[in-house]
Amino acid sequence: MEALAERLTNCLLRKNFITASQSKWCHYMIIHRAMNIISLIVLIPLGAFISDWATSLCLVLGYRFLRSRTGGFHAHTPHGCLLSAVAIQVISLLCLPVLSTAAFGIKIMLCVCSCVSIILLAPSNNAAVHLTAREIKALKVSIPVRIGILLAMTLLLFPINQLVSTSFLLSITVTAILLILSKAGFGAQ
């Protein structure tokens, strides 16, 4: 993966599509996008094997939708990222049937704790992420909007399919847990 990203970055540099100052960013983005595609190809079918396609898809998309704004735990390598994503997917989908049948009060408490944690801790910013003050300010506005969208999906789908509905709640919870881990010093800092 690294070698491919390096070759592609050098090619873009030679063709003057990017400048030398953009090469690190370009290299990172190539790896980031490639890992996103690879993880989707792995995570959704794996989740469908454990649960079903709709639940797996909603969990992954809900998590990515929120995580793209909040940040959180980052593995030290792309392979570590993929392995941690697989572990999160498997653990989440194994917990999902229990959570979907839990008392409504427990779901509300989990939801409130997760949302408050995300709003207080996000966005995650460290030397590996290096957000500017302007970016942090913009993210602080967009994060509650994204939480609201996921909560609306949770409520709308609750009477139709509790597993799918709960997968959106679980995506919020997983995001909160990974933010807490990052703030505690785990992962790439």
Side-chain angles (χ1 to χ4, degrees):
M1 179 75 67
E2 286 284 334
L4 176 64
E6 190 68 36
R7 283 196 305 267
L8 190 52
T9 301
N10 288 335
C11 177
L12 293 171
L13 195 56
R14 279 192 311 275
K15 295 190 183 267
N16 294 322
F17 288 122
I18 61 170
T19 64
S21 65
Q22 295 171 317
S23 63
K24 273 188 171 181
W25 171 84
C26 182
H27 183 266
Y28 168 78
M29 288 309 295
I30 290 168
I31 290 175
H32 178 72
R33 299 291 182 212
M35 288 306 295
N36 275 342
I37 292 166
I38 290 168
S39 67
L40 283 174
I41 291 169
V42 170
L43 292 177
I44 293 172
L46 174 67
F49 180 73
I50 297 169
S51 185
D52 61 65
W53 284 96
T55 304
S56 177
L57 184 66
C58 290
L59 178 66
V60 171
L61 294 182
Y63 168 73
R64 285 177 180 239
F65 178 70
L66 188 54
R67 170 68 188 243
S68 67
R69 297 295 185 261
T70 63
F73 174 84
H74 286 278
H76 294 283
T77 66
H79 293 96
C81 179
L82 184 59
L83 287 175
S84 64
V86 167
I88 290 165
Q89 177 86 343
V90 169
I91 292 167
S92 296
L93 288 171
L94 291 175
C95 292
L96 192 59
V98 174
L99 183 58
S100 71
T101 59
F104 190 70
I106 291 173
K107 290 180 189 176
I108 294 293
M109 197 167 59
L110 182 63
C111 182
V112 168
C113 289
S114 297
C115 291
V116 168
S117 296
I118 291 169
I119 289 169
L120 291 176
L121 298 175
S124 179
N125 191 21
N126 55 46
V129 178
H130 49 75
L131 296 170
T132 65
R134 178 186 247 175
E135 291 169 327
I136 291 171
K137 186 176 179 181
L139 290 170
K140 284 281 189 189
V141 171
S142 68
I143 289 167
V145 172
R146 290 198 175 212
I147 290 171
I149 291 168
L150 289 175
L151 290 175
M153 295 298 292
T154 301
L155 292 173
L156 288 172
L157 291 170
F158 187 76
I160 300 165
N161 186 328
Q162 283 195 20
L163 271 179
V164 171
S165 170
T166 307
S167 71
F168 284 115
L169 171 59
L170 194 55
S171 66
I172 296 169
T173 303
V174 168
T175 302
I177 291 167
L178 293 176
L179 270 167
I180 292 166
L181 287 174
S182 177
K183 292 293 183 179
F186 293 96
Q189 299 290 317

